[in-house]
């Protein structure tokens, strides 16, 4: 059976949760036994997300195969519990660099190269290639941005053309505002957006309406009328605290069955196994909604005003809290602010049951993070250091326990006498910034008898990486003699992969374990960390 396509388009504004809708629909279809995968199109001219600022664009997500992709991939993987490949991310940058290469090679000899047909054909060929290589029943395509943006116009045209040849349906995510005083849901913006979409030759089959409260009957009728669809094809997407409930919310409205019907697809799993899968997903949603004992977790970083910059860390905490039957409250602490007033550290950290220093780049806020780590170590606050958070754990220990005054990472002070953290071998010569870090999945060997081993219960562990610096092996002995434990190394290159404190819970990892935490498979390090926080909360 040829692959079927679902194109998810946004109208009116971005940030409505297109990634969550796409992931939820893919999840439902996979619960029906279908091989359904999401692909994201982003119109910007960057080749990938690796060179973007997380403060503007949100977290850079890394895949097993070293691809640096949009944060929506985190949502996809957390819902689908599967590892996606870089080919599922298509950007304007990738399309145009391929087009120019083809043109220079002479593939279009004699022609002027145009958006229609050449770019559209390239996009259609790319999507068919992904579908075939992955033997997909359904390819769900999330189009970044909103319909009408200059950046995605050519892509939408390609989708219109794809629909002339293949079985394609369009799903539109829109926003239905509610005027405070009147309390009435207004559909006029959606009507205008629909008209706009139809001008591009797109007729959506389903309209998903994001709104503050449940979609009223009147609003549903109006949207259906203007969209030329049945009322059952207008789907409610009211704000809800738990994003993981979305697949079930869509299922209750029959979206999965309607989508399969319009694509001419039959479920491959029987009804009983679908129900079992949906019920166990529901039980996990209940677990994270359960109001168990509370743990307070501080995230100390420099991008704290934009929580999207740490989206995976936040979600990994949610998953691990569900597993530990606690509810976790995250407290965002701006590390730069900690540098400004001396009493801010005890004031902000004393009430915390656990603290995380997540990944990051550049000098800003680093000293605040080091002081916070020192406080956590001496006050025995459970600590989890992620990538940069591990490197600074070593710097803090070198300064305050080993007495190496001025110890630092070469990233922040290239003149330091004690380069506790240094550039990775081979990275000195790297000048181009895109895709050149130590990226993707790397395996490390864990020492038995360590906290890391207790968490992973395995000697070989693979996690995703994204860094240019590493712990300087010249200082390894000094650090370990003073009491820090090297609990994991990369066997091939001898790189330190994990560090831990003795006595109280403190683990640092060079990897980004948050990138592989899923609702159905929380990450072991996060589970151990939240367990330690739960213990501390109970003792307080
Ligand atoms: N800036 C550090 C490095 O490049 C840490 C990177 C990170 O936290 N992802 O090694």
């Amino acid at each position: 059976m040829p692959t079927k396509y679902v194109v998810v388009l946004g109208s009116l504004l971005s940030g409505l949760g297109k990634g969550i809708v796409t992931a939820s629909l893919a999840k439902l279809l996979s619960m029906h036994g279908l091989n359904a995968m999401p692909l994201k199109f982003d119109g910007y001219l960057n080749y990938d997300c690796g060179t973007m600022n997380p403060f503007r664009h949100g977290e850079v997500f890394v895949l097993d195969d070293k691809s640096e992709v949009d944060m929506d991939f985190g949502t996809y993987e957390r819902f689908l519990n599967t590892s996606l490949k870089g080919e599922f991310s298509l950007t304007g940058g990738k399309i145009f660099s391929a087009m120019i290469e083809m043109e220079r090679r002479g593939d279009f000899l004699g022609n002027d190269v145009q958006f229609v047909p050449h770019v559209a054909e390239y996009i259609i060929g790319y999507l068919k290639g992904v579908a075939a290589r992955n033997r997909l029943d359904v390819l769900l395509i999330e189009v970044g941005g909103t319909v009408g943006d200059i950046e995605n116009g050519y892509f939408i045209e390609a989708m219109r053309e794809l629909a002339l040849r293949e079985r394609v349906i369009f799903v539109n995510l829109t926003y239905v505002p509610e005027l405070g005083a009147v309390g009435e849901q207004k559909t006029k913006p959606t009507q205008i957006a629909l008209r706009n979409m139809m001008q591009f030759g797109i007729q959506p089959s389903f309209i998903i309406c994001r709104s503050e409260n449940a979609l009223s009957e009147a609003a549903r009728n109006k949207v259906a009328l203007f969209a030329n669809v049945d009322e059952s094809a207008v789907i409610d997407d009211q704000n809800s605290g738990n994003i993981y409930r979305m697949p079930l919310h869509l299922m209750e409205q029959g979206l999965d069955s309607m989508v399969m019907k319009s694509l001419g697809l039959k479920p491959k799993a029987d009804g009983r196994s679908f129900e079992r899968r949906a019920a166990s997903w529901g039980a996990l949603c209940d677990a994270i909604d359960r109001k168990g004992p509370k743990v307070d977790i501080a995230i100390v970083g420099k991008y704290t005003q934009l929580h999207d910059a740490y989206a995976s860390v936040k979600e990994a905490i949610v998953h691990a809290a569900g597993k530990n039957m606690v509810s976790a409250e995250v407290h965002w602490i701006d590390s730069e602010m900690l540098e400004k007033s001396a009493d801010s550290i005890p004031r902000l950290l004393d009430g915390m049951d656990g603290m995380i220093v997540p990944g990051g780049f550049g000098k800003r806020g680093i000293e605040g993070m080091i002081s916070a780590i020192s406080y956590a170590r001496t006050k025995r606050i459970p600590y989890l250091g992620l990538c940069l958070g591990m490197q600074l754990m070593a710097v803090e220990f070198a300064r305050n326990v080993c007495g190496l005054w001025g110890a630092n990472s070469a990233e922040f002070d290239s003149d330091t006498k004690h380069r506790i953290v240094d550039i990775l071998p081979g990275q000195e010569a790297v000048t181009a910034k895109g895709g050149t870090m130590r990226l993707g999945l790397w395996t490390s060997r864990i020492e038995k008898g360590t906290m890391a081993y207790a968490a992973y219960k395995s000697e070989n562990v693979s996690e995703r990486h994204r860094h240019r610096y590493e712990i300087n092996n010249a200082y390894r002995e000094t650090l370990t003699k003073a009491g820090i434990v090297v609990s994991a190394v990369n066997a091939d290159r001898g790189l330190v992969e994990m560090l831990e404190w003795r006595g109280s819970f403190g683990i640092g990892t060079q990897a980004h374990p948050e990138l592989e935490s899923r609702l159905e498979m929380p990450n072991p390090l996060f589970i151990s960390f939240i367990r330690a926080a739960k213990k501390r909360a109970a003792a307080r």
Side-chain angles (χ1 to χ4, degrees):
M1 274 261 269
T3 303
K4 311 286 175 10
Y5 300 84
V6 176
V7 182
V8 182
L9 301 165
S11 50
L12 292 176
L13 59 153
S14 60
L16 291 179
K18 240 182 305 140
I20 295 166
V21 166
T22 309
S24 299
L25 190 49
K27 182 73 186 175
L28 285 172
L29 296 174
S30 67
M31 284 176 180
H32 282 294
L34 297 165
N35 187 10
M37 292 283 185
L39 177 144
K40 171 114 198 256
F41 168 74
D42 279 301
Y44 42 69
L45 293 179
N46 302 62
Y47 192 84
D48 60 30
C49 283
T51 52
M52 291 186 190
N53 182 346
F55 196 62
R56 286 179 55 84
H57 191 77
E59 163 185 85
V60 177
F61 198 79
V62 184
L63 303 178
D64 286 355
D65 67 4
K66 307 185 195 310
S67 305
E68 297 173 282
V69 293
D70 186 88
M71 58 181 291
D72 273 334
F73 279 79
T75 309
Y76 300 158
E77 290 197 344
R78 287 189 280 275
F79 276 67
L80 294 170
N81 193 16
T82 194
S83 297
L84 292 166
K85 290 184 278 188
E87 65 174 342
F88 287 95
S89 165
L90 181 59
T91 60
K94 281 187 191 171
I95 294 172
F96 292 116
S97 71
M99 292 302 295
I100 300 291
E101 203 184 305
M102 287 155 73
E103 189 277 332
R104 292 289 80 186
R105 207 166 50 211
D107 291 7
F108 309 109
L109 228 45
N111 286 308
D112 43 346
V113 185
Q114 295 186 305
F115 279 93
V116 179
H118 303 105
V119 176
E121 284 305 328
Y122 175 81
I123 293 170
I124 292 172
Y126 183 97
L127 299 178
K128 287 188 171 181
V130 170
R133 278 190 295 284
N134 295 282
R135 298 172 193 283
L136 298 180
D137 296 312
V138 185
L139 179 61
L140 297 101
I141 302 153
E142 176 186 346
V143 182
T146 53
V147 177
D149 292 351
I150 287 184
E151 279 85 358
N152 61 23
Y154 61 90
F155 193 85
I156 291 171
E157 164 59 18
M159 295 302 92
R160 185 190 70 81
E161 293 182 28
L162 180 69
L164 299 175
R165 303 180 213 171
E166 303 291 331
R167 201 91 180 236
V168 180
I169 58 163
F170 293 91
V171 175
N172 172 218
L173 177 59
T174 185
Y175 181 60
V176 177
E178 212 163 283
L179 287 186
V182 199
E184 187 192 350
Q185 290 181 328
K186 296 301 222 179
T187 62
K188 186 59 69 70
T190 297
Q191 295 173 32
I192 295 168
L194 282 165
R195 216 172 291 147
N196 186 20
M197 203 173 293
M198 287 169 191
Q199 269 177 21
F200 288 100
I202 306 288
Q203 164 64 56
S205 299
F206 300 98
I207 324 289
I208 301 188
C209 300
R210 177 81 189 267
S211 53
E212 210 49 55
N213 296 298
L215 192 66
S216 68
E217 273 319 293
R220 188 187 301 271
N221 294 349
K222 248 198 186 145
V223 172
L225 182 69
F226 281 91
N228 312 317
V229 297
D230 188 76
E231 278 151 30
S232 61
V234 179
I235 307 289
D236 166 86
D237 176 7
Q238 60 189 291
N239 282 350
S240 115
N242 181 349
I243 56 168
Y244 297 101
R245 290 215 183 268
M246 183 59 112
L248 304 175
H249 188 59
L250 298 179
M251 179 192 78
E252 281 153 15
Q253 299 176 76
L255 184 65
D256 50 335
S257 315
M258 291 190 283
V259 164
M260 286 191 292
K261 194 164 164 223
S262 12
L263 290 173
L265 275 171
K266 292 221 174 334
K268 287 188 178 169
D270 61 41
R272 290 259 296 281
S273 55
F274 174 79
E275 271 163 32
R276 216 179 32 246
R277 286 173 195 161
S280 70
W281 184 261
L284 291 171
C285 293
D286 293 344
I288 59 175
D289 276 342
R290 192 189 296 119
K291 293 278 163 266
K294 187 166 97 88
V295 295
D296 290 288
I297 306 294
I299 296 184
V300 181
K302 72 167 174 179
Y303 310 117
T304 46
Q305 286 102 319
L306 183 77
H307 300 174
D308 270 0
Y310 303 118
S312 294
V313 178
K314 204 173 106 218
E315 293 306 315
I317 293 173
V318 169
H319 305 158
K323 185 87 182 166
N324 278 292
M325 299 191 292
V326 294
S327 55
E329 185 178 338
V330 170
H331 302 259
W332 302 94
I333 299 180
D334 174 7
S335 56
E336 217 178 359
M337 197 265 295
L338 296 180
E339 294 167 8
K340 291 188 184 132
S341 75
D343 71 335
S344 57
I345 291 189
R347 186 165 45 80
L348 293 168
L349 292 181
D350 263 349
M352 294 297 126
D353 304 308
M355 181 182 112
I356 294 179
V357 171
F361 295 83
K363 199 170 173 188
R364 189 163 62 79
I366 290 295
E367 289 304 319
M369 296 177 208
I370 295 175
S371 309
I373 296 171
S374 176
Y375 195 80
R377 184 175 55 76
T378 48
K379 299 286 178 187
R380 304 169 74 87
I381 300 173
Y383 174 67
L384 183 59
L386 306 170
C387 200
L388 175 67
M390 176 189 90
Q391 297 176 352
L392 297 183
M393 187 178 173
V395 170
E396 187 280 326
F397 202 81
R399 286 185 191 177
N400 300 330
V401 182
C402 307
L404 301 176
W405 189 81
N408 215 330
S409 163
E411 183 181 0
F412 315 123
D413 179 5
S414 51
D415 297 330
T416 174
K417 215 167 109 202
H418 301 294
R419 289 175 169 238
I420 301 299
V421 177
D422 210 347
I423 190 108
L424 277 160
Q427 283 284 341
E428 306 96 323
V430 171
T431 49
K433 296 280 186 240
T436 55
M437 283 189 242
R438 182 178 180 234
L439 289 166
L441 207 63
W442 292 91
T443 305
S444 41
R445 229 188 134 65
I446 299 193
E447 271 305 307
K448 281 194 167 158
T450 57
M451 288 187 248
Y453 188 84
Y456 282 110
K457 297 180 186 64
S458 167
E459 277 180 88
N460 290 304
V461 167
S462 301
E463 294 279 12
R464 294 173 182 174
H465 290 64
R466 183 173 189 255
H467 63 119
R468 271 188 221 285
Y469 291 81
E470 60 159 327
I471 303 291
N472 183 350
N473 272 326
Y475 284 93
R476 197 152 139 188
E477 211 183 306
T478 314
L479 291 168
T480 48
K481 271 199 175 142
I484 211 161
V485 178
V486 173
S487 47
V489 290
N490 173 279
D492 301 333
R493 298 175 57 182
L495 300 180
V496 171
E497 288 280 3
M498 295 177 80
L499 289 177
E500 52 195 62
W501 294 330
R502 286 179 204 274
S504 72
F505 187 98
I507 301 188
T509 168
Q510 189 58 76
H512 287 281
E514 71 275 17
L515 301 181
E516 293 221 62
S517 184
R518 284 117 190 220
L519 182 62
E520 290 161 301
M521 209 173 58
N523 182 272
L525 273 190
F526 277 84
I527 298 175
S528 290
F529 166 68
I530 297 290
R531 190 181 302 126
K534 182 181 178 182
K535 247 185 167 165
R536 183 177 167 94
R540 273 205 292 139

